[in-house]
Amino acid sequence: IANEMMKKSAEWAKKVSDDEFKGKVIRKDEINSIINFKNENDVIDYIYKRIKVKRNYTKNEIINFMLCINQGFLTVFVGEPGVGKTSLCNIIAETLGLIKNNYQDRYVEVSVEKGWTSKRDFIGYYNPLTREFDKNNNLLYSAFNILNKEYENKIEDIPFYILLDEANLSPMEHYWADFMNACDMNKDNRSVNLGDGYLYNIPNTLRF
């Protein structure tokens, strides 16, 4: 009886959580009123001018940054400490309206720690005793729930960025291993399994 009660309690808690994340899904047509662009060149000029105010990059450099981010699942910024790799990511996310908006932030900054060995350190893990997901990073857990709901509803309008700050402090092939297969963006089924009943689809809007 106690086991069944725990099982039902966990199912109810997951349903409540799922319903909560459904309410955080947004569509492109809901935010069109914020900024209207007449053509693609207006978009390029807007991004260039917004980034240029904070960083002295050429237009060609900024276009190359955006091309790299949009064409691949994982973009790696390399350089000496203090050159502005992290702050550039923050500036790009803010320029695209992914943070500091009227909706759910679509930019998560993760500080990678030394000694991470699996997704358990990165996101969390399913606890079979409590039948619940023990979150190591609540923002990441929320992100994957929202992205999963968007995938189910075929919403592929708005990007979602996750920054792995100091990603090489721990081997990525360990803590990020479950996302390696998702790098192939031509696959029909891109997902990550975080435990019993916690299988999350990954839409093409997600970038690391």
Side-chain angles (χ1 to χ4, degrees), residues 99-166:
I99 52 178
K100 298 180 181 178
N101 54 48
N102 296 326
Y103 302 92
Q104 174 80 14
D105 283 353
R106 300 181 67 84
Y107 176 70
V108 177
E109 187 173 348
V110 180
S111 296
V112 177
E113 298 179 19
K114 192 174 183 180
W116 282 9
T117 58
S118 69
K119 62 189 174 188
R120 181 186 185 119
D121 301 303
F122 181 41
I123 308 169
Y125 67 99
Y126 172 74
N127 189 330
L129 296 177
T130 62
R131 299 178 187 269
E132 295 180 355
F133 192 84
D134 287 346
K135 300 177 280 290
N136 190 50
N137 189 312
N138 190 51
L139 291 177
L140 274 180
Y141 176 74
S142 296
F144 290 120
N145 274 279
I146 292 169
L147 288 166
N148 187 59
K149 295 300 176 189
E150 291 179 351
Y151 179 91
E152 292 173 352
N153 288 280
K154 294 180 170 55
I155 298 171
E156 296 184 342
D157 295 321
I158 311 163
F160 202 118
Y161 289 178
I162 296 175
L163 168 64
L164 303 176
D165 196 22
E166 303 293 348

Side-chain angles (χ1 to χ4, degrees), residues 65-83:
F65 287 144
M66 299 311 300
L67 282 173
C68 288
I69 293 171
N70 283 285
Q71 288 182 346
F73 186 59
L74 174 66
T75 302
V76 180
F77 288 86
V78 181
E80 295 295 321
V83 297

Side-chain angles (χ1 to χ4, degrees), residues 12 14 27-28 62 89 96 128 137 155 167 194-195 198-199:
W12 175 81
K14 192 170 189 309
R27 297 176 183 272
K28 187 177 180 181
I62 292 172
C89 295
L96 298 181
N137 189 312
I155 298 171
L194 302 183
Y198 290 86
L199 180 67

